[in-house]
Amino acid sequence: MRRSLFLLALLLPPALAASDTYFPNTPGTQWRYSNGETQQAGRPRVIQGVNVVPVGHSVGGKLVSEDYLEYRADGVFLRGVQAGGKLNWYTPPLQVYPASPLAPGQVWTTTTGSGLRLSGRVVGTQALRTQSGSYNALVVRSEVAAGGAATGVQSSSTQYAYFVPGLGVVRYQTADGSMVDLLR
């Protein structure tokens, strides 16, 4: 369960939404972060009958996981995560972001059939400076919870993403409080 929360935490920072002009998703688009992770949008493909855009997560040049994102008019949805040779497919999918434009105060919550829940809120805006530039970013708080009555085990984590329309996530704060910045 912790592994799936960790993988979902990796997804949240680069999450993209329905319009590639607001949320970049062009194949080959790459984000390099200060923790050594590189994320890259792949070519759209069909998995289990759903059109998805894969976003690969690599560390040290090695692919460690791939998120499968579905772009729809009502936002972007996490359909599944491939890691360790195993595909975790979410039915229904988790809504990572609602339709653009994002605005302070916006709130959304979704739950998969297996009890994984994602709650998001745009908590405001913040001016910040990173190695890649200076930005006025939207601050998105995401809470991921897993388990519950069915398993008797409940776990959750909270992350913050600093999102710039047209560019993506320029900083994120992990559940343990670590800050990770976009390098390029």
Side-chain angles (χ1 to χ4, degrees):
M1 188 59 61
R2 280 195 177 276
R3 180 159 174 78
S4 66
L5 286 174
F6 172 74
L7 293 173
L8 189 56
L10 288 176
L11 163 78
L12 293 174
L16 315 169
S19 165
D20 67 354
T21 58
Y22 196 79
F23 301 90
N25 65 4
T26 304
T29 300
Q30 204 174 73
W31 301 265
R32 282 186 342 141
Y33 289 95
S34 60
N35 65 350
E37 179 184 7
T38 299
Q39 301 167 5
Q40 183 169 342
R43 294 194 181 285
R45 60 182 143 166
V46 176
I47 298 178
Q48 296 197 14
V50 179
N51 291 319
V52 297
V53 173
V55 175
H57 299 266
S58 299
V59 177
K62 181 181 178 188
L63 183 66
V64 294
S65 68
E66 196 167 49
D67 301 325
Y68 300 116
L69 304 176
E70 179 184 18
Y71 298 87
R72 304 186 328 206
D74 55 341
V76 62
F77 293 80
L78 176 63
R79 293 306 308 237
V81 175
Q82 175 85 33
K86 182 178 181 206
L87 173 63
N88 290 311
W89 192 255
Y90 303 126
T91 305
L94 289 171
Q95 185 173 30
V96 180
Y97 287 114
S100 65
L102 295 177
Q106 208 165 3
V107 177
W108 60 97
T109 300
T110 58
T111 304
T112 67
S114 61
L116 188 61
R117 185 185 76 225
L118 185 142
S119 300
R121 173 185 289 275
V122 181
V123 297
T125 60
Q126 182 175 337
L128 56 96
R129 180 179 295 247
T130 71
Q131 183 176 333
S132 64
S134 296
Y135 308 100
N136 188 25
L138 292 162
V139 181
V140 180
R141 179 185 188 274
S142 298
E143 182 178 338
V144 179
T151 64
V153 177
Q154 178 71 35
S155 60
S156 67
S157 66
T158 302
Q159 301 86 31
Y160 289 86
Y162 298 78
F163 177 80
V164 175
L167 182 60
V169 174
V170 297
R171 171 178 286 164
Y172 64 94
Q173 180 178 354
T174 63
D176 69 4
S178 301
M179 291 294 215
V180 178
D181 286 346
L182 178 69
L183 298 176
R184 70 172 188 102

